[in-house]
Amino acid sequence: MSRPVPGHRPAARLRLPWPLPALLVWAAAWGLFAVLAQAGVDLLVALGCAAALGALGSVLGPNWWRRFMIALGFPLSLLVSGAVTLPGWVWLLPLGLVLLVYPINAWRDAPIFPTPRAALLGLPQAIALPAGAAVLDAGCGLGDGLRALRRAWPEAALHGLEWSWPLRLLCALRCPWAQVRRGDIWRESWAPYQLVYVFQRPESMARALAKAQAEMAPGSWLVSLEFEVVGQPHQARLMAPDGRPVWIYRV
């Protein structure tokens, strides 16, 4: 069955047109590098800080290859400009930072698209969770999904699981009220949780439901933003304020 969220009207998504995200991140990285160099900071440290800013800012990219363009734009432009002379091995540093943020074994999962702040507010109308229920954001990224879950269930025991340790660290800082761990969402057990929330790729959804059915207790819940499990019946479908569906599956 489908239950639209009362009182919500679809809203247009706010997305920066390409290549504006890249230009903004590159400019910010160059600005940070210039400020640090002018202040007398060691060039390696300045390069590392600016490259780290570019790697973190790459989450603004809509797909993998644009994320890599954003992350590597500053160090490549610095190399081409010849503004500084550094040992060859130093240029591996930006690539290393990118791989820390986007580990290779996590590329099969969804890119980092933040969950809108009000996307999950209608969930308590469809799912009655007891106070203190264990809720997992599988692939929590920077913590936007955890924040949306907290708005829906402020009394729940919220957990986040993220493979990238820089993102896990930033998520823990943004969500100090949640237990955020580093781990592979497909290897870690979902058995302790009464609800698991995912914002994955469409092709990952069948695997997510199969994992939930194999590991979670009967009567638990799997919630997916935007993408359904094709061919599988759902308990309910809500509409987020921006018009995206929220699919609810009873395990």
Side-chain angles (χ1 to χ4, degrees):
M1 63 180 175
S2 299
R3 302 179 187 172
V5 180
H8 285 325
R9 296 180 180 178
R13 301 185 196 180
L14 178 61
R15 290 185 177 175
L16 296 175
W18 185 260
L20 186 56
L23 295 176
L24 290 174
V25 175
W26 295 342
W30 267 104
L32 178 61
F33 178 77
V35 169
L36 294 177
Q38 186 68 27
V41 175
D42 184 83
L43 285 179
L44 285 179
V45 175
L47 172 62
C49 291
L53 178 61
L56 293 175
S58 66
V59 299
L60 296 175
N63 53 46
W64 285 114
W65 70 269
R66 287 184 174 177
R67 288 167 183 263
F68 273 83
M69 286 181 62
I70 294 175
L72 298 178
F74 162 73
L76 289 177
S77 62
L78 182 64
L79 176 63
V80 171
S81 71
V84 296
T85 301
L86 294 169
W89 64 266
V90 170
W91 301 104
L92 295 175
L93 174 63
L95 180 59
L97 289 170
V98 172
L99 292 178
L100 283 176
V101 177
Y102 305 110
I104 291 176
N105 70 332
W107 290 4
R108 67 181 181 272
D109 298 326
I112 305 169
F113 287 135
T115 299
R117 190 166 178 262
L120 308 180
L121 281 178
L123 284 178
Q125 300 178 26
I127 302 174
L129 287 182
V135 175
L136 173 68
D137 181 356
C140 54
L142 291 169
D144 294 277
L146 284 171
R147 289 186 166 195
L149 288 167
R150 192 187 191 202
R151 293 193 72 196
W153 288 295
E155 296 182 357
L158 297 177
H159 300 255
L161 196 59
E162 172 58 47
W163 179 254
S164 168
W165 73 260
L167 295 181
R168 180 263 163 198
L169 177 61
L170 291 172
C171 179
L173 291 174
R174 294 185 72 208
C175 307
W177 28 263
Q179 295 186 33
V180 182
R181 297 185 295 113
R182 180 180 179 271
D184 187 331
I185 65 172
W186 304 113
R187 292 180 179 272
E188 296 285 340
S189 174
W190 292 0
Y193 308 105
Q194 292 170 263
L195 182 144
V196 172
Y197 167 71
V198 294
F199 188 9
Q200 280 291 314
R201 297 179 184 274
E203 58 268 25
S204 300
M205 287 310 303
R207 184 183 184 187
L209 182 59
K211 181 176 176 64
Q213 291 173 335
E215 298 179 355
M216 299 177 70
S220 301
W221 302 90
L222 176 69
V223 175
S224 169
L225 176 62
E226 191 160 353
F227 304 118
E228 64 176 314
V229 184
V230 178
Q232 293 293 324
H234 53 273
Q235 182 74 13
R237 185 190 68 175
L238 311 179
M239 296 301 295
D242 67 353
R244 278 182 281 188
V246 180
W247 301 91
I248 300 174
Y249 297 90
R250 190 75 179 265
V251 177

